[in-house]
Amino acid sequence: MKRTRITVIGAGNVGATTAHRLAEGQLGDVVLVDVVEGMPQGKALDLVQAAPVVHHDCSVVGANDYEATASSDIIVMTAGLARKPGMSRDDLQDANARIVAACIQRACKVSRESTVLMVTNPLDVMCEVARRVSGFPRERIVGMAGVLDTARLRAFLAAELNVSTESVSALVLGGHGDNMVPLPRYTTVSGIPVTELLPQQRIDAIVERTAQGGGEIVKLLKTGSAYYAPAAGVYEMVESILRDRKKILPCSVYLQGEFGLSDVWVGVPCRLGRAGMEGVFEFKLTAGEQARLAKSAGDVKAQMEKLPGDLGAA
Ligand code: TXD
């Protein structure tokens, strides 16, 4: 029987932490790929040496090319550059689009049946790069951002109300970052909308803090950005796909008419199972929510239009 194989491209903070979680969660054998020679191999060896202590039987190997990634079930894409001083958002988009295109082309060429899980920023636009170069159907490309954004909102609300994070469920739509559209009326504590539990002013402040995304963490760390919570978000999505759990999770997906939007990547709730993105969970938005989602989608589309036309194909 073929063993489950997960490729993680980029062995930096998010990639290595993701590999760690995937192996310890026994989700499959992991191939960690990075351009830096020796680095993915060294981190893989370190992870393997933890196996006897933490009890898992997954293999973890490091590589600088894609040979060992062949026949992967999932490709998690975390490679990319962080914004450097003097670099505009558009410069970063251009640089990461080239990295994502090159990596996804090579990885998808040897794993034609895989599902791509995009993590690299700018998230929604990088999903489009993966779509163009892989030629995969939309069911087999999803972006991770919504799980992280909702986790942040849930964590803040649980602390505010002094309840378990498990009792809080939240819904965030839209593009990643400043563009997210939190839906407080669907954000509940054991089924009770937070709008019944907290004054609007407090909800607004918590939503605003969530919308700052990882900015608060970047300021504290000074070098680098969040990776524990992002890796946890990736883990939840990979687990739902590989174990066919059919969880409803907010993911960046290529909309085809759902929520009145088409040909654009936006975060909406979807069912994740063995076939990948098995369906968008559509529901009726208020006029205000719809307008905010459309604005968020419009911003992503404007960025998608700036992508170079010569990204290549797998
Ligand atoms: O919610 C989300 N989607 C995000 C996204 C949450 C957190 C981080 N988010 C984005 O993930 C972040 O903006 C970056 O675009 C990626 C990776 O973040 P990370 O913090 O892991 O960055 P690192 O530590 O700099 O790691 C990037 C690695 C590094 O080891 C490089 O050598 C490698 O990517 N890299 C490559 N690997 C393979 N192939 C190529 N071409 C390549 N270029 C760089």
Side-chain angles (χ1 to χ4, degrees):
M1 200 175 95
K2 180 190 170 291
R3 287 168 66 95
T4 301
R5 179 171 295 151
I6 309 161
T7 289
V8 179
I9 309 175
N13 281 337
V14 177
T17 311
T18 297
H20 182 196
R21 293 193 66 97
L22 294 172
E24 291 197 1
Q26 310 246 35
L27 285 191
D29 293 337
V30 179
V31 184
L32 195 53
V33 183
D34 203 286
V35 275
V36 180
E37 274 180 35
M39 190 266 262
Q41 292 86 348
K43 290 191 180 182
L45 191 57
D46 193 8
L47 286 167
V48 162
Q49 291 171 357
V53 184
V54 292
H55 308 296
H56 71 75
D57 303 302
C58 298
S59 83
V60 186
V61 296
N64 300 116
D65 60 33
Y66 290 82
E67 212 180 305
T69 71
S71 309
S72 286
D73 297 276
I74 302 219
I75 296 166
V76 181
M77 177 63 196
T78 79
L81 305 178
R83 191 138 66 113
K84 298 194 185 86
M87 205 178 188
S88 72
R89 272 179 204 275
D90 286 354
D91 293 342
L92 178 75
Q93 172 167 314
D94 241 47
N96 280 354
R98 300 212 177 268
I99 291 174
V100 168
C103 296
I104 291 294
Q105 259 174 63
R106 295 172 70 193
C108 290
K109 206 169 189 171
V110 293
S111 296
R112 298 300 302 159
E113 302 305 318
S114 60
T115 295
V116 173
L117 203 165
M118 183 58 61
V119 184
T120 306
N121 273 329
L123 194 266
D124 307 287
V125 185
M126 293 306 115
C127 289
E128 171 65 4
V129 172
R131 191 185 71 85
R132 289 193 197 168
V133 303
S134 67
F136 282 9
R138 74 162 183 166
E139 288 72 21
R140 290 197 284 115
I141 306 174
V142 281
M144 193 293 297
V147 177
L148 173 63
D149 292 331
T150 38
R152 285 177 170 152
L153 181 56
R154 290 169 64 196
F156 293 147
L157 286 168
E160 176 81 12
L161 291 160
N162 192 23
V163 299
S164 161
T165 50
E166 252 180 62
S167 302
V168 184
S169 90
L171 185 56
V172 174
L173 306 180
H176 185 37
D178 323 339
N179 254 332
M180 58 180 251
V181 182
L183 297 186
R185 73 192 170 101
Y186 287 127
T187 296
T188 66
V189 178
S190 283
I192 307 157
V194 282
T195 43
E196 310 269 317
L197 301 170
L198 285 170
Q200 193 58 44
Q201 214 185 358
R202 273 314 294 153
I203 296 175
D204 291 345
I206 289 168
V207 162
E208 176 52 32
R209 189 176 175 198
T210 309
Q212 305 283 315
E216 207 178 330
I217 295 170
V218 170
K219 263 193 209 141
L220 291 165
L221 292 177
K222 294 194 180 74
T223 57
S225 55
Y227 52 99
Y228 293 117
V234 174
Y235 180 89
E236 186 173 31
M237 291 173 70
V238 172
E239 197 233 8
S240 190
I241 294 171
L242 291 177
R243 297 198 173 135
D244 198 27
R245 295 205 49 196
K246 304 199 187 293
K247 282 192 177 179
I248 305 299
L249 296 172
C251 311
S252 184
V253 8
Y254 193 61
L255 291 182
Q256 300 271 264
E258 296 90 353
F259 294 98
L261 299 164
S262 280
D263 306 326
V264 65
W265 291 87
V266 186
V268 293
C270 355
R271 187 171 65 237
L272 292 188
R274 206 63 185 86
M277 199 288 291
E278 296 184 345
V280 173
F281 230 62
E282 213 179 344
F283 60 95
K284 198 161 166 40
L285 297 173
T286 63
E289 289 161 354
Q290 182 66 43
R292 289 171 67 203
L293 186 64
K295 154 92 177 68
S296 181
D299 291 349
V300 174
K301 215 167 202 172
Q303 286 305 116
M304 278 166 57
E305 276 157 17
K306 291 183 194 161
L307 282 171
D310 58 340
L311 289 165

